[in-house]
């Protein structure tokens, strides 16, 4: 393929391309049934050449103690005019969230949420990402047991490198 032809080929990530990278920062968690907590987080959104998705890995640690708290893996992918976020958690949850990307904002709507028979009684998760240059902010809401959908996590991460 000539260099001109490859320059004319659109990036398969399209508007998702600015999300690619390694992001690190801090967050805070709260919920009516637990004590407030603070954490550090690394999120990697890794492109694969020629593919319309980013591989997603998130890892958190307790901010003061450094012990691991949570991890999840999945994909952030283009699906026509929408963006889909597919996530698997080792605590027994899988989810598919959908959004349209508007001015760096992904305000996801849950499409599928399933839990294993042995997972905690979480009924729903909702996520929102806001990309502003080299800053990625997110919020997560959770419905657990008898508690309705309630804000749970907020973090601000900076692009590394």
């Amino acid at each position: 393929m000539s260099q001109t032809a490859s320059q004319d080929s659109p990036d398969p990530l399209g508007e998702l391309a600015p999300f690619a990278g390694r992001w690190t920062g801090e967050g805070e968690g709260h919920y009516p049934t637990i004590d407030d907590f603070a954490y550090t987080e690394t999120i990697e959104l890794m492109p694969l050449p020629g593919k319309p998705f980013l591989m997603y890995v998130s890892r958190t640690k307790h901010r003061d103690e450094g012990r691991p708290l949570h991890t999840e893996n999945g994909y952030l992918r283009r699906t026509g005019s929408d963006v889909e976020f597919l996530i698997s958690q080792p605590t027994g949850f899988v989810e598919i969230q959908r959004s349209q990307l508007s001015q760096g904002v992904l305000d996801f709507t849950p499409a599928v949420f399933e839990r294993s028979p042995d997972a905690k009684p979480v009924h729903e998760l909702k996520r929102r990402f806001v990309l502003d240059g080299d800053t990625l902010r997110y919020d997560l809401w959770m419905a657990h047991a008898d508690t309705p959908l309630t804000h749970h996590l907020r973090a601000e991460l900076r692009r590394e490198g």
Side-chain angles (χ1 to χ4, degrees), residues 100-112:
Q100 291 199 339
L101 179 58
S102 177
Q103 299 179 340
V105 176
L106 288 165
D107 204 0
F108 289 102
T109 301
V112 173

Side-chain angles (χ1 to χ4, degrees), residues 12-67:
L13 288 173
E15 293 177 309
L16 285 182
F19 285 85
R22 181 180 171 94
W23 304 86
T24 57
E26 296 185 345
E28 296 178 348
H30 57 269
Y31 206 70
T33 58
I34 62 172
D35 292 334
D36 292 354
F37 61 97
Y39 60 94
T40 62
E41 183 166 17
T42 300
I43 290 179
E44 294 179 88
L45 289 163
M46 300 162 282
L48 282 116
K51 300 295 183 184
F53 59 81
L54 297 165
M55 290 177 53
Y56 165 77
V57 178
S58 167
R59 288 182 172 68
T60 62
K61 293 181 179 180
H62 191 278
R63 185 164 56 197
D64 298 327
E65 300 168 14
R67 63 182 160 81

